Amino acid sequence: MTTDTRILIALRGAGTGFVSGAELSQQLGITRAAIWARIEELRKLGYDIAASPHQGYRLISVPDVLHADDLLSLVQGNKVVGRDIRVFEETASTNDVVEKLARDRVKEGVVVFAESQSKGRGRLGRKWISPPRKGLWFSVLLRPNLRPQAATQLTVVAATALFRAIRDVTGVTPEIKWPNDILIKGRKVAGVLTELSAELDHINHLILGIGVDVNQTATEFPPELRKTATSLKAEAGRHIHRADLAAAILRELDRDYARITSLDFAKVADEWQQQCTTIGQRVAIQIGDRVIQGHAEALDDDGALLVRTQYGRLERVIGGDVTLQK
Ligand code: BTN
């Protein structure tokens, strides 16, 4: 853990109170002058930290930037997801950065954020627009001990984590559309792109790419997306602090990742089914050139959607483009 992370943990731990320089210096094993120097650096990044000669330091406000040390301080209890966090000002796609890290044998749990992406991508070859500081654009490296067929479990885990974090941080309750869309009042606010490197019988690594439209105003979306996309700010009616939301998502992901690696996917699936607007609906699912129409009945143990077709057959669907039918 870096010194900045530890300073931010101590400041946050004090809430609206002060932490004395002496206490910090003792806790961190560095001089008071060194602490002062780090506080100055944090101030340059936009952290408003009050200093009083008698009482010490107090955190007044934090900027709406993504700062790896700060994010680490917010998820310090996590076991796997977010134990290593990296932030880039701009990348082509955070999924590509994580793919390189995976090939370099970096440990699972690393999370790469970018303030903007020049070539963000969505599912089914779509573009994902990722303007600077308006949203959360990040990817998580996992090495789950699962068969490739069960990879959809991780998309489901990411969707439920997003659901809970968005609800808890913004107060707005979203909906999940299978397998990877998070909607508010029918408009998309977040999505998950799961990319896999696998052999026939096991997953080498899996990348969860997550995009959340956070602080755009309606007119900041390109005209062709305005009817189908929205942001958390537009729905909650207030600016959302991205680092708080990011930390909430990583905490939820870490918790559910631990649940499914202990073979407890059933619990996640139960929760998911309750929050998923797809279950119980008539759906049309485009899979390549084929369209399956029917009634979405449930999720199976691998995270696949079970659809009763109009011919009465139960089809197991592991991906595709879902449209909810009236
Ligand atoms: C979708 O709904 O189609 C999935 C969108 C996923 C977007 C995220 S943003 C971070 C990561 N990097 C990418 O290029 N894509 C994912």
Side-chain angles (χ1 to χ4, degrees):
M1 215 184 271
T2 67
T3 303
D4 288 4
T5 305
R6 297 173 70 193
I7 291 177
L8 287 163
I9 290 173
L11 290 174
R12 281 215 169 81
T16 52
F18 280 88
V19 185
S20 81
E23 213 176 294
L24 271 178
S25 132
Q26 201 191 17
Q27 259 180 35
L28 274 63
I30 57 176
T31 65
R32 292 174 71 162
I35 302 261
W36 173 248
R38 291 318 312 159
I39 296 276
E40 281 293 283
E41 286 304 313
L42 287 169
R43 282 176 166 166
K44 280 187 203 149
L45 291 170
Y47 290 82
D48 190 0
I49 300 170
S52 140
H54 300 298
Q55 294 168 287
Y57 301 105
R58 181 161 73 94
L59 187 59
I60 295 175
S61 70
V62 297
D64 189 19
V65 292
L66 300 175
H67 176 37
D69 289 326
D70 196 13
L71 289 166
L72 279 167
S73 81
L74 290 167
V75 298
Q76 45 167 323
N78 284 19
K79 293 209 163 48
V80 175
V81 178
R83 57 186 168 187
D84 178 356
I85 294 180
R86 308 180 190 192
V87 178
F88 290 80
E89 197 50 39
E90 183 181 287
T91 57
S93 158
T94 52
N95 270 37
D96 294 342
V97 178
V98 168
E99 177 64 43
K100 286 201 192 83
L101 296 177
R103 278 194 251 119
D104 290 345
R105 303 296 314 152
V106 167
K107 272 208 313 208
E108 70 166 345
V110 63
V111 183
V112 171
F113 286 87
E115 286 287 18
S116 73
Q117 297 183 116
S118 55
K119 289 207 174 88
R121 58 178 182 271
R123 287 174 68 236
L124 310 168
R126 296 182 183 131
K127 241 179 32 192
W128 185 265
I129 298 166
S130 326
R133 302 191 197 288
K134 292 289 177 181
L136 290 175
W137 329 121
F138 66 99
S139 304
V140 183
L141 172 63
L142 297 173
R143 300 184 189 279
N145 186 11
L146 289 176
R147 295 162 298 118
Q149 296 87 319
T152 313
Q153 285 186 8
L154 271 310
T155 309
V156 169
V157 161
T160 40
L162 278 166
F163 171 93
R164 285 195 303 264
I166 289 174
R167 182 196 56 196
D168 296 350
V169 171
T170 68
V172 177
T173 303
E175 301 139 31
I176 302 176
K177 181 165 85 101
W178 187 87
N180 74 317
D181 286 351
I182 306 295
L183 315 177
I184 298 178
K185 295 190 212 124
R187 288 190 177 158
K188 180 153 169 171
V189 76
V192 184
L193 172 70
T194 306
E195 292 181 329
L196 195 63
S197 154
E199 309 297 325
L200 268 180
D201 56 345
H202 75 276
I203 293 177
N204 298 325
H205 66 258
L206 179 145
I207 299 170
L208 285 178
I210 297 178
V212 189
D213 289 318
V214 184
N215 282 323
Q216 294 98 323
T217 55
T219 53
E220 282 172 319
F221 285 100
E224 67 276 14
L225 290 184
R226 284 183 201 159
K227 281 215 174 83
T228 52
T230 189
S231 73
L232 296 177
K233 177 179 169 172
E235 299 304 324
R238 66 183 167 88
H239 181 94
I240 304 297
H241 192 262
R242 290 177 308 139
D244 286 345
L245 178 65
I249 298 169
L250 297 185
R251 282 193 293 265
E252 296 294 342
L253 260 180
D254 189 61
R255 195 185 76 160
D256 274 357
Y257 188 53
R259 269 159 108 189
I260 68 157
T261 47
S262 62
L263 299 178
D264 215 358
F265 179 68
K267 272 200 193 134
V268 180
D270 270 359
E271 197 179 318
W272 187 92
Q273 305 214 53
Q274 284 164 27
Q275 291 144 2
C276 178
T277 42
T278 314
I279 305 289
Q281 299 246 26
R282 291 197 48 72
V283 291
I285 308 175
Q286 175 103 34
I287 307 164
D289 295 340
R290 194 170 155 234
V291 178
I292 297 180
Q293 288 195 324
H295 183 255
E297 289 200 340
L299 205 63
D300 79 0
D301 289 350
D302 286 338
L305 190 67
L306 301 176
V307 180
R308 180 78 58 190
T309 68
Q310 67 255 57
Y311 310 109
R313 218 181 33 241
L314 198 61
E315 289 245 15
R316 184 177 173 277
V317 184
I318 58 164
D321 203 13
V322 178
T323 318
L324 302 180
Q325 313 272 278
K326 295 267 147 61

